[in-house]
């Protein structure tokens, strides 16, 4: 190193005299270097410097490796000496912006390059000048400095500013801004050095934000909203119980994407039945207890809401029969998304802790073809079951029919006397192979339920969700349908409500209400459009209806109008009148509930009068708020001027006890829907 320092000392002592033409030659050399560098054919940048968290350190690492070598130390020391000499010889470049005086460039032509760029740094030094003579190096250094302050004319589409090994492309500014920049540059004093000046930054007008659109391959099971019916013409209303909750989760998923749900995604009965209510439990050996309440209609003061709540009995967990559970899992290519198969595996893992040692689990998958992944395994062997779930991968088409057939075969081999056997189908609903006849598939499922194996559906993901197929299979399989969009929803369905979801206490549950024409002139059932039954189906035990699980609740809401009310929508009949006895005149209607015990062929009937004096509670008022929310989403014509503010206020005022936060979430979703609707 002593020799290098001696060389540096000699160079400093032998600094050449000031050369008046040096600046002009430096500019000329800068222009030459600039033109040459425009066609640079340097090798592409190493891929190790791109898209890697460690990329910023790669250049530092290479630099240190180079600088610590002995040749590099000698070269860098010599270059430092030469640079010091250049600083002594040449005046400092004037980097001032236009409008400030600058000494003229002696003997230099006042030209500006059409584009101003900073040459890329290379391992060979500035503009390839390593090893050049001191005078040439001096010219190169000054040229490099001046090239960065040459006047810049705007490009047609973008300005390119070279920065070391990167190039930043700046969007072109509006013409007016470019003109202003050019004016300021041209205003520089004659002979002055023009600074590199980019156009003023402008904020472009924000385009209208388009709402995200789901793929148009989803299908939903729904029907037109129930109309108002004239009691004198049609006094009896009959429908099947529904305890599905899929619609609420779909609505939540849609709103959280910043989109209002379409009317066909909204099934009001599933929204109302999503929430737990504090209904009275049945007494003794009774399977059900009924709770009825009557209140003024929030959206129509001329009518009343009649809410019917059904509470199923909840046996002790220790008294549950052994459970044979077949996970039928869709592993087709459409399930690859994080909200599908990965969430599905997490969800099913949650419920394993709720199973008892004597329960059995089997796993069947289907994609291009169906396969048995896990033979019947005791629930106590959680590690084996979890390992089988973790190894599932998505790929192939969706052979749903073949998967169902294999799942029923496996379930049949797991059965034993006194046990419950159920298939839990987890899918996005995309059955695209082997289902040329959906009605035939539904008939197959309906036939299998007669053997005692029930089918429930868990839906995952969006984009190609076939809710219509899921609903149909669940209804024909004596099961329930739920949609899981979050792990919290999975816990609600598969942990908190596991007993009700998997252990039935009643099959073919039907409700029939006969309205008294003397007290009710018109009525409307809110929701249950897809569960409507004919009047004669109520007494026919061969007609399938909904299933009720242990501890399950069901809520139904009617809007009724008294004779003579200003809210009547139909004119009275000229040739018809309602004759009522004194006993019947004191009643609004009569509730009939019919069901069959699991495995039985004969139904049980329970009847309860609706007097109209039953009081409302926070439970029924909150249910009314949710029913109003659903009608707002559907654009119902029956709400008059009642809107979002009123629905939110009613839900907040009647929220009551909310141990799991479901009702608070409902209020937030109402507020979100209001914002999206306005």
């Amino acid at each position: 190193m002593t020799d290098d320092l001696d060389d540096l000392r000699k160079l400093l002592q032998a600094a050449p005299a000031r050369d008046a033409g040096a600046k002009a030659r430096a500019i000329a050399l800068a222009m030459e270097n600039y033109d040459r560098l425009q066609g640079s054919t340097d090798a592409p940048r190493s891929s190790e410097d791109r898209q890697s968290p460690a990329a910023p350190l790669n250049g530092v690492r290479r630099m240190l490796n180079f600088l610590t070598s002995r040749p590099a130390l000698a070269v860098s020391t010599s270059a430092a000496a030469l640079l010091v000499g250049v600083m002594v010889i040449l005046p400092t470049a004037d980097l001032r912006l236009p409008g400030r005086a600058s000494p003229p460039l002696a003997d230099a032509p006042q030209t500006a390059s059409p584009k101003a760029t900073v040459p890329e740094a290379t391992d060979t030094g500035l503009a390839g000048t390593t090893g050049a003579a001191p005078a040439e190096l001096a010219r190169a250094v000054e040229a490099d400095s001046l090239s960065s302050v040459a006047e810049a004319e705007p490009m047609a589409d973008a300005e390119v500013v070279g920065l070391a090994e990167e190039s930043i492309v700046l969007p072109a500014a509006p013409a007016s801004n470019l003109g202003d920049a050019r004016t300021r540059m041209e205003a520089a004093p004659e002979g002055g050095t023009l600074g590199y000046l980019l156009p003023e930054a402008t904020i472009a007008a924000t385009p209208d934000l388009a709402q995200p659109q789901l793929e148009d391959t989803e299908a939903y099971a729904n029907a037109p909203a129930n109309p108002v019916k004239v009691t004198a013409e049609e006094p009896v209303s009959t429908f099947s119980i529904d305890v599905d909750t899929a619609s609420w989760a779909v609505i939540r998923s849609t709103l959280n994407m910043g989109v209002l749900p379409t009317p066909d995604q909204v099934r009001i009965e599933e929204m109302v039945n999503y929430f737990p209510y504090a209904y009275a439990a049945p007494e003794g050996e009774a399977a059900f207890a009924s709770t009825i309440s009557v209140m003024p209609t929030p959206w129509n003061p001329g009518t009343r809401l009649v809410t019917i709540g059904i509470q199923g009995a909840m046996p002790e967990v220790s008294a549950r029969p052994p459970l044979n559970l077949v996970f039928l899992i869709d592993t087709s290519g459409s399930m690859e998304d994080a909200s599908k198969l990965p969430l599905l595996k997490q969800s099913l893992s949650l419920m394993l802790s709720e199973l008892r040692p004597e329960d059995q689990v089997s796993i069947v998958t289907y994609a291009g073809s169906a396969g048995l992944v896990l033979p019947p395994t005791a629930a106590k062997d959680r590690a084996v079951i979890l390992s089988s779930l973790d190894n599932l991968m998505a790929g192939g088409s969706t052979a749903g029919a073949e998967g169902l057939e294999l799942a029923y075969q496996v379930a049949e081999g797991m059965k034993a006397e006194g046990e419950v056997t159920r298939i839990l189908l987890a899918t996005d609903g995309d059955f695209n192979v082997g289902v040329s006849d959906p009605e035939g598939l539904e008939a197959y499922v309906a036939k299998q339920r007669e053997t005692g194996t029930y089918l429930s559906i868990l839906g995952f993901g969006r984009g190609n969700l076939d809710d219509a197929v899921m609903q149909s299979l669940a209804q024909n399989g004596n099961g329930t349908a739920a949609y899981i969009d979050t792990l919290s929803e999975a816990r609600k369905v598969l942990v908190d409500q596991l007993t009700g979801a998997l252990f039935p206490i009643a099959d073919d549950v039907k409700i029939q209400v006969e309205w008294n024409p003397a007290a009710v002139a018109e009525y409307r059932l809110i929701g249950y459009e897809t569960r409507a039954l004919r009047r004669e189906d109520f007494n026919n035990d061969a007609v399938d209806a909904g299933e009720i699980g242990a501890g399950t609740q069901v809520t139904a809401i009617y809007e009724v109008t008294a004779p003579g009310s200003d809210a009547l929508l139909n004119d009275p009949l000229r040739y018809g009148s309602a004759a009522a006895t004194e006993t019947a005149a004191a009643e609004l209607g009569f509730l009939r509930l019919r069901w069959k015990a699991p495995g039985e062929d004969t139904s049980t009937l329970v009847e309860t009068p609706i007097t109209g004096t039953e009081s409302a509670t926070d439970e029924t008022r909150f249910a009314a708020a949710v029913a109003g929310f659903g009608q707002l989403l559907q654009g119902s014509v029956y709400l008059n001027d009642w809107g979002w503010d009123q629905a939110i206020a009613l839900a907040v005022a009647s929220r009551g006890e909310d141990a799991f936060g479901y009702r608070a979430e409902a209020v937030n979703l109402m507020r979100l829907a209001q914002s999206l609707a306005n």
Side-chain angles (χ1 to χ4, degrees):
M1 294 299 294
T2 304
D3 295 339
D4 293 335
L5 292 175
D6 291 340
D7 293 341
L8 175 60
R9 187 180 300 108
K10 292 176 182 179
L11 285 171
L12 292 175
Q13 293 173 351
R18 180 184 179 91
D19 187 351
K23 188 172 294 185
R25 290 193 299 274
I27 292 177
L29 180 59
M31 295 301 299
E32 178 183 347
N33 287 337
Y34 173 79
D35 293 337
R36 177 172 54 80
L37 289 173
Q38 299 308 301
S40 174
T41 58
D42 291 345
R45 181 180 175 184
S46 172
S47 61
E48 69 174 347
D49 288 343
R50 301 188 182 274
Q51 298 180 349
S52 170
L57 300 177
N58 293 335
V60 176
R61 192 179 299 110
R62 288 195 299 268
M63 180 184 72
L64 293 175
N65 291 337
F66 174 77
L67 291 179
T68 53
S69 65
R70 183 174 181 83
L73 288 173
V75 172
S76 59
T77 304
S78 301
L82 293 174
L83 285 174
V84 172
V86 170
M87 293 174 63
V88 174
I89 297 170
L90 298 179
T92 302
D94 190 346
L95 303 179
R96 289 176 292 183
L97 292 175
R100 296 183 181 181
S102 171
L105 300 176
D107 304 326
Q110 299 298 317
T111 59
S113 65
K115 302 176 185 177
T117 66
V118 179
E120 290 190 4
T122 66
D123 290 339
T124 57
L126 290 173
T129 57
T130 299
E136 293 177 353
L137 180 61
R139 290 194 296 271
V141 171
E142 184 172 5
D144 184 66
S145 300
L146 294 175
S147 67
S148 67
V149 295
E151 179 181 356
E153 287 293 327
M155 297 171 61
D157 297 320
E159 293 290 341
V160 180
V161 182
L163 296 175
E165 295 182 347
E166 297 288 340
S167 290
I168 300 176
V169 180
L170 302 176
S176 60
N177 290 337
L178 293 176
D180 294 343
R182 187 178 299 110
T183 301
R184 290 194 299 274
M185 289 182 174
E186 292 173 352
E190 183 177 357
T193 302
L194 299 181
Y196 182 82
L197 185 63
L198 289 175
E200 287 184 345
T202 60
I203 300 176
T206 303
D208 293 337
L209 296 176
Q211 291 184 336
Q213 298 296 319
L214 296 173
E215 295 180 33
D216 191 19
T217 58
E218 297 189 341
Y220 291 90
N222 216 327
N226 288 323
V228 171
K229 295 186 177 181
V230 177
T231 308
E233 299 172 357
E234 193 173 348
V236 178
S237 171
T238 308
F239 61 95
S240 168
I241 281 293
D242 186 6
V243 292
D244 296 342
T245 59
S247 182
W248 176 266
V250 168
I251 289 168
R252 177 180 58 207
S253 171
T254 304
L255 288 172
N256 284 332
M257 287 188 284
V259 182
L260 282 172
T262 57
D264 64 329
Q265 293 175 339
V266 180
R267 289 189 292 270
I268 296 177
E269 72 278 5
E270 295 187 18
M271 296 176 65
V272 172
N273 284 310
Y274 180 84
F275 302 91
Y277 300 97
Y279 295 148
E283 298 179 357
E285 298 297 322
F288 297 105
S290 301
T291 299
I292 299 173
S293 72
V294 180
M295 60 179 283
T297 302
W299 50 84
N300 191 343
T303 66
R304 289 186 288 177
L305 292 184
V306 178
T307 302
I308 300 171
I310 307 295
Q311 174 68 60
M314 171 63 89
E316 294 292 334
V317 174
S318 59
R320 285 185 344 196
L323 173 64
N324 301 312
L325 186 60
V326 179
F327 291 156
L328 175 56
I329 301 175
D330 182 353
T331 56
S332 62
S334 65
M335 293 290 291
E336 190 172 11
D337 188 79
S339 64
K340 297 185 180 181
L341 185 58
L343 178 59
L344 183 158
K345 293 192 289 186
Q346 291 178 310
S347 301
L348 295 182
S349 298
L350 288 179
M351 74 178 299
L352 293 180
S353 61
E354 301 300 306
L355 301 181
R356 296 174 303 169
E358 59 268 29
D359 297 334
Q360 289 191 94
V361 174
S362 181
I363 299 177
V364 174
T365 63
Y366 65 93
S369 60
L372 178 62
V373 172
L374 179 70
T377 302
K380 63 182 179 181
D381 296 329
R382 289 189 61 193
V384 176
I385 301 171
L386 288 172
S387 177
S388 298
L389 284 173
D390 289 341
N391 291 332
L392 298 180
M393 302 291 290
S397 55
T398 314
E402 186 177 348
L404 273 174
E405 184 177 359
L406 178 58
Y408 277 114
Q409 291 176 6
V410 173
E412 188 64 29
M414 298 171 70
K415 287 181 180 178
E417 186 68 26
E419 298 181 349
V420 172
T421 304
R422 186 180 294 269
I423 296 173
L424 197 59
L425 168 58
T427 177
D428 63 356
D430 183 17
F431 291 81
N432 55 31
V433 173
V435 192
S436 57
D437 181 13
E439 293 184 359
L441 183 60
E442 295 164 7
Y444 172 74
V445 170
K447 180 179 179 181
Q448 291 296 326
R449 76 167 181 253
E450 301 300 328
T451 68
T453 300
Y454 294 170
L455 173 68
S456 290
I457 311 290
L458 298 177
F460 290 85
R462 299 298 300 275
N464 56 352
L465 181 67
D466 197 336
D467 172 81
V469 171
M470 292 167 54
Q471 290 287 325
S472 177
L473 292 179
Q475 291 181 18
N476 283 278
N478 263 13
T480 59
Y483 173 77
I484 295 179
D485 57 334
T486 65
L487 203 56
S488 294
E489 183 67 12
R491 175 175 176 82
K492 177 179 184 292
V493 173
L494 298 175
V495 177
D496 298 338
Q497 300 174 347
L498 176 69
T499 300
L502 300 181
F503 294 91
I505 60 172
D507 291 341
D508 298 338
V509 185
K510 307 170 187 175
I511 288 180
Q512 187 173 81
V513 179
E514 179 185 351
W515 296 105
N516 178 9
V520 176
E522 295 174 344
Y523 67 91
R524 175 173 70 98
L525 175 60
I526 302 175
Y528 289 96
E529 288 85 1
T530 63
R531 294 284 189 162
L533 296 175
R534 297 173 299 181
R535 179 176 176 178
E536 61 269 25
D537 290 340
F538 184 76
N539 292 325
N540 187 348
D541 287 341
V543 174
D544 180 56
E547 173 205 50
I548 290 290
T552 300
Q553 300 170 333
V554 183
T555 302
I557 302 175
Y558 284 91
E559 182 177 358
V560 301
T561 310
S565 170
D566 293 337
L568 287 172
L569 299 179
N570 295 280
D571 294 330
L573 296 175
R574 178 180 179 84
Y575 301 107
S577 62
T581 65
E582 292 183 2
T583 302
E587 298 174 354
L588 288 180
F590 201 63
L591 169 66
R592 297 182 177 93
L593 183 65
R594 187 181 289 278
W595 75 92
K596 291 186 292 189
E600 299 294 330
D601 297 326
T602 304
S603 63
T604 301
L605 174 65
V606 173
E607 299 176 325
T608 306
I610 303 173
T611 65
T613 61
E614 296 87 351
S615 61
T617 64
D618 279 345
E619 305 298 301
T620 54
R621 279 187 285 267
F622 184 82
V626 175
F629 177 28
Q631 292 175 93
L632 285 168
L633 293 175
Q634 288 181 332
S636 174
V637 299
Y638 300 114
L639 296 182
N640 299 313
D641 295 330
W642 197 77
W644 294 106
D645 288 336
Q646 291 79 9
I648 293 169
L650 179 60
V652 170
S654 56
R655 189 168 57 186
E657 184 178 352
D658 188 22
F660 298 101
Y662 302 145
R663 299 187 181 189
E665 179 189 60
V667 173
N668 289 332
L669 289 178
M670 290 180 188
R671 289 173 174 151
L672 177 56
Q674 180 183 31
S675 299
L676 294 172
N678 292 336

